[in-house]
Amino acid sequence: MARVSQEHLDARRRQILDGAARCFARSGFHGTSMQDVLKEVGLSAGAVYRYFPGKEDIIAAITEETLSTIRGAFEEAGRMSPPPTPDALLSGVLGTVLAGRLHGLERRTFAALAVQLWSETLRDERLAAQLDEGYAAMRAAWAKLVRAYRDAGILSGDVPDDHVSRTLIATAQGFILQEALFGDVRPEVVANGLRGLMSMGPQKAS
């Protein structure tokens, strides 16, 4: 019997994950059965179970890929030198994340899937551990970026690095949520909004 190439195995795994992601995006995790996934990908149960013992394992794999996409965009931004200001930084990160077309999904559908994954971590300890690990990595990467802001003399020294990095992450997460709920989140909206906030100075006495 001819050996199956790693390329073929990887392509089959990709086929399963992409099909499952489409199902989850349409019907949610709890509204999607393994039969729905099998029908979507056009494979037998044996072929799918060879890669994933159950639906929870597929969800875990999609969670890891989704978090990796978001984390990778943050870490790439954190390596830039000189560091871009928050308006350019966050608009670039969101543009990268939402244009990634993970699993072949449109940007709003991908954003909705990301929000579903976040909510699923509230009930699934395995996914919660994945999210904790990814969040810790993002905070560390962005804390390094904040230190670069401080070294460049564009950030005051009285605010903890972690507080600034968590606020930047929360802003990105908020815009991903907006894309999922309402759509029309464009990088220039993020850039212009942050630029406007950054332009505020001390209030003048009347």
Side-chain angles (χ1 to χ4, degrees), residues 56-69:
E56 290 73 17
D57 299 283
I58 297 177
I59 294 172
I62 290 175
T63 298
E64 177 56 35
E65 288 200 347
T66 302
L67 292 176
S68 293
T69 296

Side-chain angles (χ1 to χ4, degrees), residues 20-44:
R22 292 192 297 270
C23 289
F24 295 145
R26 284 197 304 266
S27 306
F29 294 125
H30 302 289
T32 299
S33 67
M34 280 300 287
Q35 287 302 316
D36 295 326
V37 174
L38 297 178
K39 182 177 179 181
E40 179 74 23
V41 301
L43 296 173
S44 67

Side-chain angles (χ1 to χ4, degrees), residues 96-170:
T96 298
V97 169
L98 295 177
R101 300 291 178 87
L102 189 66
H103 305 297
L105 301 175
E106 294 294 328
R107 54 185 293 160
R108 187 172 181 182
T109 306
F110 169 72
L113 181 63
V115 172
Q116 285 191 64
L117 291 172
W118 292 337
S119 64
E120 190 69 8
T121 62
L122 299 177
R123 59 168 293 278
D124 188 313
E125 292 183 358
R126 177 181 177 183
L127 297 184
Q130 285 181 270
L131 183 64
D132 286 345
E133 181 180 350
Y135 184 52
M138 282 192 288
R139 284 172 64 178
W142 282 53
K144 184 184 298 184
L145 175 73
V146 173
R147 288 193 292 275
Y149 283 151
R150 209 182 306 284
D151 292 343
I154 58 177
L155 180 68
S156 65
D158 60 349
V159 181
D161 296 349
D162 184 59
H163 292 190
V164 179
S165 67
R166 289 175 65 178
T167 300
L168 291 170
I169 292 170

Side-chain angles (χ1 to χ4, degrees), residues 67-80 89-90 93-94 96-97 137-139 141-142 145 165 168-173 176:
L67 292 176
S68 293
T69 296
I70 297 172
R71 183 172 63 245
F74 275 70
E75 291 174 344
E76 181 181 355
R79 288 191 293 267
M80 300 172 101
L89 181 71
L90 282 175
V93 166
L94 285 165
T96 298
V97 169
M138 282 192 288
R139 284 172 64 178
W142 282 53
L145 175 73
S165 67
L168 291 170
I169 292 170
T171 302
Q173 289 174 319
I176 291 173

